[in-house]
Amino acid sequence: MRLHKGAELTAPAEVSALALIKDRSFDLVVANEARALPLAHAVKGSAPVWGDMHEWAPEERTHVLSWKLLVAPYMRHICERYLPMTDAVSTVNASIARLYDKQFGTMARVVRNARPFENLTPSPLEGDRVRLVHSGAAVPGRDIESLISATLQLDPRFTLDLYLIKGRDGGEYWRSLRALAQDSARINFHEAVPPAELPKVLNAFDVGVFNLPPRTTNHRLMLPNKLFDFVQARLAVVFSPSVETDAVISAHSLGAVTGGFSTDDLVATLRALSSEEIAGYKQNSHRAAIELSAESDVETERAIIARLLGL
């Protein structure tokens, strides 16, 4: 019925937060993603609000029909109502920042999904072997199937190691991926590792792979934390096309971008890589690791806080 204003502050987490906060006062309130904006403004008192939007909230999950029909209008309502009165707005890349600026009148700052600098060096290649690796959540829509199918089609010099966090489905999707791998000796499933340990674990491999068809605006404009994980691990990368990732990969010569989003596109790109190219891309990741670490993003955050608090 589009009674969006009446739906604000009714979610269980919002009700609990209001009960816990009661009449406390704050110097600064940070809203983590758009759905937290109504709560942030409800409890701010005289404090400024920083909306850390992460990605493009109005189309976060529009590839899911129920979300598109029921949730997307509410997310747009939140953005239209609260972003103009939010004192600072940040998002993960320049393309999405421009969307917020154009549609909601913000002056969004970019805070990437980068991670702290890791003092690592590229691992040496093992002959002509190509050790592919992917880390992330085992949830439908991430197209991990294409990585497995591509590896099965590639010649024996290619292996694939997967560090996957099981989803909330009790591991059903994770098990379907294992079945798709057909017990191949070249495809290995590992338990997920803590984020702080991830670069050191990934450092043992050669190429970080990621393929994601652009089902949503966020997919089309992605700049995911995986890219920064792979760089800090000193890997070469192979990604499907995206405006933002293409620019970073090209600027630092980190690896290759596939010609499209199919398994065949991934196979063709990986098959064309030589050992010499992979070794060179790994060295380029090493050279870019400082620039692509979180330090510049932390400075942006410090500047936002200083401005909001008048420091």
Side-chain angles (χ1 to χ4, degrees):
M1 296 177 65
R2 303 297 190 259
L3 301 176
H4 296 135
K5 189 174 181 180
E8 295 174 8
L9 305 177
T10 61
E14 293 170 310
V15 172
S16 296
L18 288 169
L20 289 166
I21 290 170
K22 296 180 181 176
D23 58 353
R24 292 173 62 193
S25 62
F26 304 95
D27 299 309
L28 171 64
V29 179
V30 182
N32 185 45
E33 298 189 344
R35 65 189 68 244
L37 283 170
L39 177 63
H41 282 273
V43 303
K44 70 174 185 176
S46 60
V49 174
W50 172 6
D52 187 14
M53 305 298 286
H54 298 279
E55 297 183 324
W56 178 236
E59 300 179 59
E60 181 184 356
R61 292 176 55 79
T62 46
H63 58 297
V64 178
L65 181 60
S66 58
W67 197 97
K68 181 177 181 178
L69 295 176
L70 300 175
V71 183
Y74 177 63
M75 297 300 285
R76 181 163 287 277
H77 157 80
I78 288 175
C79 291
E80 289 176 342
R81 183 177 183 196
Y82 289 102
L83 283 179
M85 64 176 82
T86 298
D87 301 279
V89 174
S90 58
T91 186
V92 295
N93 64 52
S95 294
I96 295 176
R98 285 191 290 270
L99 282 176
Y100 280 114
D101 293 351
K102 180 178 180 181
Q103 296 196 26
F104 303 114
T106 66
M107 296 180 64
R109 302 289 302 274
V110 173
V111 178
R112 305 169 303 179
N113 273 326
R115 63 179 303 128
F117 174 78
E118 295 282 345
N119 189 19
L120 298 171
T121 57
S123 59
L125 274 66
E126 294 183 355
D128 65 348
R129 286 186 64 199
V130 180
R131 300 165 296 183
L132 308 176
V133 70
H134 174 88
S135 59
V139 295
R142 299 292 179 92
D143 209 34
I144 301 171
E145 295 90 343
S146 67
L147 310 183
I148 294 171
S149 297
T151 304
L152 293 173
Q153 293 180 39
L154 289 162
D155 61 74
R157 70 189 178 110
F158 289 89
T159 61
L160 173 64
D161 285 71
L162 297 165
Y163 291 85
L164 301 176
I165 302 169
K166 294 175 184 176
R168 299 177 182 176
D169 59 358
E172 181 178 351
Y173 177 66
W174 184 88
R175 289 189 290 273
S176 75
L177 295 175
R178 290 213 63 159
L180 180 64
Q182 304 172 18
D183 293 324
S184 170
R186 296 190 293 115
I187 301 176
N188 303 299
F189 287 77
H190 303 272
E191 292 297 319
V193 298
E197 298 176 16
L198 191 59
K200 294 180 178 67
V201 172
L202 299 183
N203 180 253
F205 301 96
D206 300 316
V207 182
V209 287
F210 186 56
N211 186 64
L212 188 66
R215 299 184 182 94
T216 70
T217 298
N218 283 318
H219 294 166
R220 181 172 58 84
L221 301 178
M222 67 176 181
L223 187 61
N225 59 340
K226 288 177 183 58
L227 179 61
F228 301 101
D229 292 341
F230 294 157
V231 169
Q232 292 307 320
R234 308 309 197 264
L235 303 180
V237 302
V238 170
F239 271 59
S240 56
S242 166
V243 175
E244 291 284 337
T245 54
D246 290 2
V248 175
I249 292 169
S250 175
H252 299 279
S253 192
L254 302 175
V257 176
T258 62
F261 303 93
S262 70
T263 298
D264 289 343
D265 291 319
L266 188 56
V267 168
T269 301
L270 289 167
R271 186 175 283 153
L273 289 175
S274 68
S275 296
E276 292 75 19
E277 287 175 317
I278 293 171
Y281 292 142
K282 293 177 76 169
Q283 289 297 327
N284 292 342
S285 280
H286 186 50
R287 282 189 283 270
I290 293 177
E291 184 175 346
L292 296 179
S293 71
E295 187 54 38
S296 64
D297 302 288
V298 171
E299 289 301 319
T300 300
E301 292 175 323
R302 288 178 178 142
I304 290 171
I305 293 170
R307 177 175 68 81
L308 294 182
L309 298 182
L311 301 177

